[in-house]
Amino acid sequence: MMEMGFAEIKGEIIQSSYWNFDALFQPQDHPAREMQDTFYLGTKAEVPDYSKIKEMHEHGGNVGSTGWGGIWDPEVARKEVLRTHTTSLTIKYLADHPKPPVKAFSIDRSYRREAIDPTHTPEFEQLEGIVMDEGVTFRDLLGILEEFYAKMGFEEVRFRPAYFPYTEPSVEIFVWLEKKKDWVEMGGAGMFRPEVTEPLGCKTPVLAWGLGLERL
């Protein structure tokens, strides 16, 4: 990542639901926020001025969205969790650096209540990255991911359309594993929705991805 011009960022394992979910436009009743997927702690965090996040969730702000409706509750946002993804780090970084250009990545641990199988464990390392700049496009995102996996020794990379609450368009990334004679999913990526970037003060497109490091 550093060869490709990215700066490395770090952050805390314990995060507020605000940064882990709300700032990413995940609705407060989203299944991923329920106890079976998230390790909640018995503590609460302070959160920054949430007026723009609240407006975006309830009514869609001024980006042509309808939002999620209902009432956004700041007390739900204050609940602390073991971060379920390192996207909580990159979204905080964007909030602190809303002006382009930004190229940043993190490699750090995440926690989920997962059943153990060949590609899932309750704690895992995630390779997170973002690019924010004038005029970046979805094609740039695919090119960056192809270049990264080429450097890791995977020449055959393909993408499949996917859904994530905070990116659109979105894709899942697969590489060809010769010894298995099969395509293996490596992670997800997309362009942050305006519902995510607008409340943070970001006015230019943001490319984002989260890759499963152990799968490499």
Short mmCIF file of all heavy atoms in Angstrom, two decimals, residues 25-29 52-72 165 193 195:
data_model
loop_
_atom_site.label_atom_id
_atom_site.label_comp_id
_atom_site.label_asym_id
_atom_site.label_seq_id
_atom_site.Cartn_x
_atom_site.Cartn_y
_atom_site.Cartn_z
N PHE A 25 -23.99 5.50 7.79
CA PHE A 25 -25.37 5.46 7.29
C PHE A 25 -25.98 4.07 7.44
O PHE A 25 -26.82 3.67 6.65
CB PHE A 25 -25.44 5.93 5.83
CG PHE A 25 -26.84 6.28 5.37
CD1 PHE A 25 -27.59 7.24 6.03
CD2 PHE A 25 -27.40 5.67 4.26
CE1 PHE A 25 -28.87 7.56 5.61
CE2 PHE A 25 -28.68 6.00 3.83
CZ PHE A 25 -29.41 6.93 4.50
N GLN A 26 -25.56 3.33 8.46
CA GLN A 26 -26.25 2.09 8.77
C GLN A 26 -27.41 2.41 9.71
O GLN A 26 -27.20 3.01 10.78
CB GLN A 26 -25.30 1.09 9.45
CG GLN A 26 -24.30 0.48 8.50
CD GLN A 26 -23.77 -0.85 9.01
OE1 GLN A 26 -24.49 -1.62 9.64
NE2 GLN A 26 -22.51 -1.12 8.75
N PRO A 27 -28.64 2.04 9.34
CA PRO A 27 -29.79 2.37 10.18
C PRO A 27 -29.67 1.73 11.55
O PRO A 27 -29.05 0.68 11.72
CB PRO A 27 -30.98 1.79 9.39
CG PRO A 27 -30.38 0.77 8.48
CD PRO A 27 -29.01 1.25 8.14
N GLN A 28 -30.26 2.37 12.53
CA GLN A 28 -30.12 1.89 13.90
C GLN A 28 -30.85 0.58 14.16
O GLN A 28 -30.60 -0.07 15.18
CB GLN A 28 -30.56 2.98 14.89
CG GLN A 28 -29.61 4.17 14.89
CD GLN A 28 -29.87 5.14 16.02
OE1 GLN A 28 -31.00 5.33 16.44
NE2 GLN A 28 -28.81 5.77 16.50
N ASP A 29 -31.73 0.15 13.25
CA ASP A 29 -32.37 -1.15 13.40
C ASP A 29 -31.80 -2.18 12.42
O ASP A 29 -32.40 -3.21 12.17
CB ASP A 29 -33.89 -1.03 13.20
CG ASP A 29 -34.26 -0.48 11.82
OD1 ASP A 29 -33.36 -0.12 11.04
OD2 ASP A 29 -35.48 -0.41 11.53
N LYS A 52 -26.06 16.67 11.79
CA LYS A 52 -26.10 16.32 10.36
C LYS A 52 -26.34 14.82 10.16
O LYS A 52 -27.03 14.42 9.22
CB LYS A 52 -24.80 16.76 9.68
CG LYS A 52 -24.66 18.27 9.59
CD LYS A 52 -23.38 18.66 8.84
CE LYS A 52 -23.27 20.17 8.72
NZ LYS A 52 -22.03 20.58 8.02
N ILE A 53 -25.77 14.00 11.02
CA ILE A 53 -26.00 12.56 10.94
C ILE A 53 -27.47 12.25 11.22
O ILE A 53 -28.11 11.46 10.51
CB ILE A 53 -25.10 11.81 11.93
CG1 ILE A 53 -23.62 11.97 11.57
CG2 ILE A 53 -25.48 10.33 12.02
CD1 ILE A 53 -23.18 11.24 10.33
N LYS A 54 -28.02 12.88 12.24
CA LYS A 54 -29.43 12.67 12.59
C LYS A 54 -30.34 13.07 11.44
O LYS A 54 -31.26 12.32 11.07
CB LYS A 54 -29.77 13.50 13.84
CG LYS A 54 -31.23 13.43 14.29
CD LYS A 54 -31.44 14.27 15.54
CE LYS A 54 -32.91 14.39 15.91
NZ LYS A 54 -33.47 13.09 16.36
N GLU A 55 -30.09 14.23 10.84
CA GLU A 55 -30.90 14.70 9.73
C GLU A 55 -30.80 13.75 8.54
O GLU A 55 -31.80 13.46 7.88
CB GLU A 55 -30.45 16.10 9.32
CG GLU A 55 -31.01 16.62 8.00
CD GLU A 55 -32.53 16.77 7.98
OE1 GLU A 55 -33.14 16.85 9.06
OE2 GLU A 55 -33.08 16.79 6.86
N MET A 56 -29.59 13.24 8.27
CA MET A 56 -29.41 12.33 7.14
C MET A 56 -30.16 11.03 7.36
O MET A 56 -30.83 10.52 6.45
CB MET A 56 -27.91 12.06 6.92
CG MET A 56 -27.60 11.31 5.64
SD MET A 56 -28.05 12.24 4.15
CE MET A 56 -26.78 13.51 4.15
N HIS A 57 -30.07 10.47 8.57
CA HIS A 57 -30.76 9.22 8.84
C HIS A 57 -32.28 9.38 8.80
O HIS A 57 -32.99 8.52 8.26
CB HIS A 57 -30.35 8.69 10.23
CG HIS A 57 -29.08 7.91 10.22
ND1 HIS A 57 -29.02 6.55 10.43
CD2 HIS A 57 -27.79 8.30 10.03
CE1 HIS A 57 -27.78 6.13 10.36
NE2 HIS A 57 -27.00 7.18 10.13
N GLU A 58 -32.78 10.47 9.34
CA GLU A 58 -34.23 10.62 9.44
C GLU A 58 -34.88 11.11 8.15
O GLU A 58 -35.98 10.66 7.80
CB GLU A 58 -34.56 11.59 10.58
CG GLU A 58 -34.23 11.03 11.96
CD GLU A 58 -34.60 11.97 13.09
OE1 GLU A 58 -35.04 13.11 12.81
OE2 GLU A 58 -34.47 11.56 14.26
N HIS A 59 -34.19 12.02 7.44
CA HIS A 59 -34.85 12.67 6.30
C HIS A 59 -34.03 12.66 5.00
O HIS A 59 -34.54 13.06 3.96
CB HIS A 59 -35.20 14.12 6.65
CG HIS A 59 -36.01 14.25 7.90
ND1 HIS A 59 -37.30 13.77 8.01
CD2 HIS A 59 -35.70 14.78 9.11
CE1 HIS A 59 -37.76 14.02 9.22
NE2 HIS A 59 -36.82 14.63 9.92
N GLY A 60 -32.75 12.26 5.07
CA GLY A 60 -31.95 12.20 3.85
C GLY A 60 -31.17 13.45 3.54
O GLY A 60 -30.57 13.55 2.47
N GLY A 61 -31.14 14.42 4.46
CA GLY A 61 -30.35 15.63 4.23
C GLY A 61 -30.74 16.34 2.95
O GLY A 61 -31.91 16.39 2.56
N ASN A 62 -29.73 16.88 2.25
CA ASN A 62 -30.00 17.62 1.01
C ASN A 62 -29.29 16.98 -0.19
O ASN A 62 -28.85 17.67 -1.10
CB ASN A 62 -29.57 19.09 1.15
CG ASN A 62 -28.10 19.23 1.49
OD1 ASN A 62 -27.39 18.23 1.61
ND2 ASN A 62 -27.64 20.46 1.64
N VAL A 63 -29.16 15.63 -0.16
CA VAL A 63 -28.48 14.93 -1.25
C VAL A 63 -29.46 14.13 -2.12
O VAL A 63 -29.05 13.26 -2.88
CB VAL A 63 -27.37 14.00 -0.70
CG1 VAL A 63 -26.30 14.81 0.00
CG2 VAL A 63 -27.94 12.94 0.23
N GLY A 64 -30.74 14.43 -1.99
CA GLY A 64 -31.73 13.72 -2.79
C GLY A 64 -32.12 12.36 -2.23
O GLY A 64 -32.74 11.55 -2.92
N SER A 65 -31.77 12.10 -0.98
CA SER A 65 -32.10 10.83 -0.34
C SER A 65 -33.34 11.00 0.53
O SER A 65 -33.69 12.11 0.93
CB SER A 65 -30.92 10.39 0.54
OG SER A 65 -31.25 9.26 1.32
N THR A 66 -34.00 9.90 0.82
CA THR A 66 -35.14 9.93 1.74
C THR A 66 -34.73 9.54 3.16
O THR A 66 -35.55 9.59 4.07
CB THR A 66 -36.25 8.97 1.27
OG1 THR A 66 -35.72 7.64 1.21
CG2 THR A 66 -36.76 9.37 -0.10
N GLY A 67 -33.45 9.13 3.34
CA GLY A 67 -33.02 8.67 4.65
C GLY A 67 -33.69 7.36 5.02
O GLY A 67 -34.29 6.68 4.17
N TRP A 68 -33.61 7.00 6.31
CA TRP A 68 -34.21 5.75 6.78
C TRP A 68 -35.55 5.98 7.46
O TRP A 68 -36.26 5.03 7.77
CB TRP A 68 -33.26 5.05 7.76
CG TRP A 68 -31.95 4.66 7.17
CD1 TRP A 68 -30.72 5.13 7.51
CD2 TRP A 68 -31.71 3.70 6.13
NE1 TRP A 68 -29.74 4.54 6.75
CE2 TRP A 68 -30.33 3.66 5.89
CE3 TRP A 68 -32.55 2.88 5.36
CZ2 TRP A 68 -29.74 2.83 4.94
CZ3 TRP A 68 -31.97 2.06 4.41
CH2 TRP A 68 -30.59 2.03 4.20
N GLY A 69 -35.90 7.24 7.72
CA GLY A 69 -37.13 7.52 8.43
C GLY A 69 -37.00 7.22 9.92
O GLY A 69 -35.92 6.89 10.42
N GLY A 70 -38.08 7.32 10.64
CA GLY A 70 -38.06 7.03 12.07
C GLY A 70 -37.32 8.10 12.86
O GLY A 70 -37.04 9.19 12.36
N ILE A 71 -36.97 7.77 14.08
CA ILE A 71 -36.28 8.67 14.99
C ILE A 71 -34.88 8.14 15.26
O ILE A 71 -34.71 7.00 15.72
CB ILE A 71 -37.03 8.82 16.33
CG1 ILE A 71 -38.46 9.34 16.09
CG2 ILE A 71 -36.27 9.75 17.27
CD1 ILE A 71 -38.51 10.71 15.46
N TRP A 72 -33.87 8.94 14.96
CA TRP A 72 -32.48 8.57 15.24
C TRP A 72 -32.17 8.92 16.69
O TRP A 72 -32.37 10.04 17.12
CB TRP A 72 -31.55 9.30 14.28
CG TRP A 72 -30.11 8.91 14.41
CD1 TRP A 72 -29.49 7.89 13.77
CD2 TRP A 72 -29.12 9.54 15.22
NE1 TRP A 72 -28.17 7.83 14.14
CE2 TRP A 72 -27.91 8.84 15.03
CE3 TRP A 72 -29.13 10.63 16.10
CZ2 TRP A 72 -26.73 9.19 15.67
CZ3 TRP A 72 -27.96 10.98 16.75
CH2 TRP A 72 -26.78 10.27 16.53
N PRO A 165 -24.58 -1.15 2.97
CA PRO A 165 -25.40 0.03 3.29
C PRO A 165 -24.72 1.36 3.02
O PRO A 165 -25.40 2.37 2.85
CB PRO A 165 -25.67 -0.14 4.79
CG PRO A 165 -25.43 -1.58 5.09
CD PRO A 165 -24.37 -2.02 4.13
N ARG A 193 -21.50 6.38 -0.34
CA ARG A 193 -22.70 7.10 -0.73
C ARG A 193 -22.63 8.55 -0.23
O ARG A 193 -21.99 8.84 0.79
CB ARG A 193 -23.93 6.41 -0.13
CG ARG A 193 -24.19 5.04 -0.70
CD ARG A 193 -25.23 4.28 0.09
NE ARG A 193 -26.52 4.96 0.15
CZ ARG A 193 -27.68 4.34 0.32
NH1 ARG A 193 -27.70 3.02 0.41
NH2 ARG A 193 -28.80 5.01 0.38
N GLU A 195 -24.81 10.03 1.34
CA GLU A 195 -25.37 10.05 2.70
C GLU A 195 -24.27 9.86 3.75
O GLU A 195 -24.44 10.25 4.91
CB GLU A 195 -26.42 8.94 2.87
CG GLU A 195 -27.70 9.17 2.08
CD GLU A 195 -27.69 8.42 0.76
OE1 GLU A 195 -26.59 8.17 0.22
OE2 GLU A 195 -28.78 8.08 0.27
#
